[in-house]
């Protein structure tokens, strides 16, 4: 029955000259999201609103699901279009609309008409009163409540007449692409996909880097990361996933450095390499799934030691989250089931029994000098063999 959607978006921060950038980005992201859906749509801005019109048959559920993944949308209103064929026909359409959308009639309502076309024979007040009367005649169980109606029946008079009353919540946030780009360190765990999702929600485009260590980490572990990137890409649009072979670096560190410092030193090299790729690809920051105290490598001391090697800002949106809350978010964005598949990611193989929890930065730096002979070459090889997968 619905043939269009009115897209609502929060206007905070998008006043003035940035507004059109925001709206254009939103239109672009909506078009992208709908490409995967059955049917054809046009997406247009009219009078400071965004409409999605179906120009062919479409799958309602699928379309709503796709729109629910577009950051920047705060609400999705399914719309019924009626040709302007006189007030009587409009009355019939409204009665029919209520019957289909609200099988249970024992509710209050209010008509809210708006004329974008001022030559319509009735003004807004008159439309409200007349349509209100028609609804009451058709459904005596219903009653008018102008302050807190259960149903706010919106009637918009344009070329056609639009009827809508329901708002399906959108994900909120800002359209991806309005906030620059960042590089996500994406592992196969629960946290990093959620971290990437959170930053993307603020309008930031995401690329990702995954460090794998074949044969210590399996092809399945790598595929799991691709699968996770795909889940995140459902919200963000295409993700360029850089797969970096970390094996030789890891083995070299294992060979030359104290084992209780392995994780920290490995993490420092991950950050260095991620930053290198980030700078090459115009990313303005790094993103990790770190959260204070979650593991030894995420104490305040460890975070400081890891952060020490980065020039770009490192965004850690989960820094103050409990695991429980991260899990809840990962379930919501549908990455959880993939994250808990039991394939080892590269850190878990080389973890020491008793990793340092309070690494001393000077000592870490000193021990890294044990790597001086070969590390630059190994890092260069890792960068040269970067395999880029475009994940959609
Ligand atoms: P996650 O659930 O995101 O894997 P974690 O709790 O396992 O996190 P760590 O293994 O200490 O934590 O990793 C901390 C962060 O470092 C991750 O959130 C991720 O951003 C990054 N990271 C760790 N391992 C890798 C890897 N193999 N490739 C890319 N990034 C990684
Ligand atoms: Mg991990």
């Amino acid at each position: 029955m619905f043939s269009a959607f009115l897209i609502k978006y929060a206007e905070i921060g998008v006043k003035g000259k940035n507004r059109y950038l925001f709206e254009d980005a939103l239109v672009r992201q909506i078009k992208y999201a709908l490409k995967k859906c059955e049917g054809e749509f046009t997406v247009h801005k009219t009078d400071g609103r965004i409409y999605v019109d179906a120009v062919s048959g479409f799958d309602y559920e699928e379309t709503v699901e796709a729109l629910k993944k577009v950051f920047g949308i705060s609400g999705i209103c399914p719309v019924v279009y009626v040709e302007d064929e006189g007030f009587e026909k409009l009355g019939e359409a409204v009665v029919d609309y209520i019957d289909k959308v609200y099988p249970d009639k024992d509710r209050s309502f209010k008509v809210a008409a708006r004329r974008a076309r001022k030559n319509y024979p009735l003004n807004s007040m008159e439309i409200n009163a007349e349509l209100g009367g028609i609804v009451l005649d058709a459904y005596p169980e219903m009653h008018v409540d102008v302050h807190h109606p259960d149903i706010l029946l919106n009637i918009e008079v344009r070329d056609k007449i639009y009827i809508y009353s329901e708002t399906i919540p959108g994900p909120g946030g800002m359209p991806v692409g309005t906030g620059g780009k960042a590089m996500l360190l994406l592992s196969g765990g629960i946290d990093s996909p959620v971290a990437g999702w959170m930053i993307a929600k603020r309008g930031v485009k995401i690329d990702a880097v995954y460090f794998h260590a074949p044969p210590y980490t399996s092809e399945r572990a790598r595929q799991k990361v691709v699968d996770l990137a795909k889940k995140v890409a459902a919200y963000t649009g295409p993700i360029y996933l850089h797969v970096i072979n970390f094996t030789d670096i890891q083995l070299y560190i294992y060979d030359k450095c104290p084992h209780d410092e392995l994780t920290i030193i490995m993490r420092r090299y991950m950050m260095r390499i991620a930053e290198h790729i980030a700078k090459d690809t115009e990313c303005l920051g790094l993103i990790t799934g770190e959260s204070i105290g979650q593991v030894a490598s995420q104490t305040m001391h460890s975070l400081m030691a890891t952060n020490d090697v980065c020039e770009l800002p490192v965004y850690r949106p989960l820094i103050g989250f409990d695991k429980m809350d991260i899990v809840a978010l990962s379930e919501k964005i549908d990455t959880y089931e993939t994250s808990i598949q039991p394939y080892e990611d590269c850190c878990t193989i080389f973890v020491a029994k008793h990793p340092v929890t309070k690494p001393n930065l000077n000592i870490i730096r000193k021990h890294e000098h044990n790597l001086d002979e070969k590390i630059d070459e190994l890092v260069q090889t890792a960068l040269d063999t970067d395999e880029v997968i475009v994940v959609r």
Side-chain angles (χ1 to χ4, degrees):
M1 85 182 258
F2 297 107
S3 49
F5 299 91
L6 166 63
I7 303 299
K8 291 188 172 167
Y9 48 90
E11 288 178 30
I12 304 157
V14 293
K15 300 278 185 219
K17 67 176 166 44
N18 287 329
R19 184 182 171 122
Y20 80 96
L21 291 176
F22 178 98
E23 290 170 338
D24 290 352
L26 187 52
V27 167
R28 194 176 58 234
Q29 292 301 112
I30 290 172
K31 283 181 177 165
Y32 180 79
L34 293 177
K35 261 198 228 158
K36 281 166 269 171
C37 297
E38 201 186 301
E40 252 185 79
F41 304 88
T42 59
V43 184
H44 57 101
K45 287 201 290 186
T46 310
D47 306 326
R49 289 157 165 247
I50 292 175
Y51 292 94
V52 174
D53 286 343
V55 291
S56 70
F58 70 105
D59 180 332
Y60 176 82
E61 297 296 332
E62 181 192 44
T63 308
V64 169
E65 276 315 304
L67 292 171
K68 277 164 111 175
K69 292 195 165 76
V70 179
F71 294 134
I73 295 181
S74 65
I76 304 154
C77 309
V79 177
V80 168
Y81 280 165
V82 189
E83 295 296 336
D84 182 10
E85 296 168 333
F87 199 76
E88 200 177 319
K89 279 270 192 287
L90 176 59
E92 284 168 17
V94 166
V95 166
D96 183 53
Y97 175 96
I98 290 183
D99 200 33
K100 288 195 174 126
V101 181
Y102 304 104
D104 169 17
K105 303 287 183 304
D106 190 15
R107 304 179 196 223
S108 64
F109 76 102
K110 171 187 170 178
V111 182
R114 187 201 313 240
R115 289 187 312 166
R117 178 158 63 80
K118 298 292 179 199
N119 67 356
Y120 195 72
L122 279 69
N123 70 27
S124 307
M125 297 290 279
E126 290 164 344
I127 300 174
N128 291 345
E130 292 291 323
L131 285 181
I134 291 171
V135 171
L136 286 174
D137 284 347
Y139 306 116
E141 323 83 292
M142 295 184 74
H143 60 281
V144 173
D145 180 342
V146 292
H147 299 296
H148 305 288
D150 298 330
I151 304 168
L152 181 64
L153 190 68
N154 292 282
I155 307 292
E156 282 186 24
V157 179
R158 300 171 180 277
D159 288 343
K160 293 177 188 164
I161 298 172
Y162 299 17
I163 308 171
Y164 64 91
S165 59
E166 290 288 283
T167 305
I168 301 158
M174 314 277 275
V176 168
T178 52
K181 189 166 74 168
M183 182 63 70
L184 168 67
L185 282 88
L186 181 62
S187 68
I190 294 170
D191 306 325
S192 44
V194 175
W197 181 89
M198 283 182 73
I199 297 297
K201 186 166 184 276
R202 299 307 305 161
V204 178
K205 190 171 162 19
I206 300 286
D207 281 346
V209 52
Y210 166 59
F211 297 91
H212 76 150
Y216 302 98
T217 60
S218 65
E219 182 56 32
R220 268 313 282 133
R222 179 179 178 281
Q223 185 56 43
K224 175 180 168 185
V225 173
V226 175
D227 293 344
L228 283 172
K230 203 172 210 152
K231 296 274 185 187
V232 179
Y235 289 88
T236 62
I239 293 178
Y240 285 73
L241 173 64
H242 299 260
V243 179
I244 293 287
N245 187 325
F246 203 57
T247 311
D248 291 343
I249 296 173
Q250 220 162 359
L251 289 172
Y252 191 50
I253 299 171
Y254 192 78
D255 200 27
K256 299 282 184 190
C257 299
H259 287 187
D260 60 349
E261 290 169 6
L262 276 183
T263 308
I264 293 292
I265 294 176
M266 280 183 332
R267 303 257 323 113
R268 283 163 62 94
Y269 276 96
M270 283 188 190
M271 298 304 267
R272 285 182 173 109
I273 292 171
E275 182 172 83
H276 192 102
I277 305 170
K279 285 179 171 172
D280 269 0
T281 54
E282 286 162 8
C283 288
L284 303 172
L286 303 175
I287 306 165
T288 73
E290 290 160 314
S291 151
I292 295 173
Q294 204 188 73
V295 286
S297 59
Q298 296 177 30
T299 62
M300 290 288 277
H301 295 76
S302 300
L303 286 165
M304 182 178 146
T306 313
N307 204 64
D308 174 58
V309 299
C310 298
E311 277 172 25
L312 288 179
V314 181
Y315 296 101
R316 300 178 173 90
L318 305 179
I319 199 69
F321 278 41
D322 292 347
K323 194 75 185 186
M324 239 174 60
D325 303 326
I326 302 172
V327 165
L329 251 178
S330 76
E331 283 172 337
K332 183 180 135 185
I333 68 171
D334 194 32
T335 52
Y336 183 73
E337 287 303 321
T338 309
S339 289
I340 60 170
Q341 291 172 5
Y343 310 106
E344 304 270 326
D345 69 21
C346 77
C347 288
T348 42
I349 308 268
F350 290 90
V351 279
K353 284 202 184 62
H354 301 289
V356 280
T357 54
K358 289 187 183 174
N360 177 309
L361 200 46
N362 290 324
I363 297 175
I364 297 280
R365 285 179 183 153
K366 187 175 135 228
H367 287 153
E368 268 182 2
H369 281 300
N370 299 352
L371 306 168
D372 281 350
E373 194 188 332
K374 268 171 63 184
I375 194 71
D376 288 349
E377 187 192 322
L378 292 176
V379 167
Q380 193 55 49
T381 305
L383 286 168
D384 290 344
T385 54
D386 176 5
E387 181 197 350
V388 185
I389 304 171
V390 186
V391 182
R392 310 175 189 275

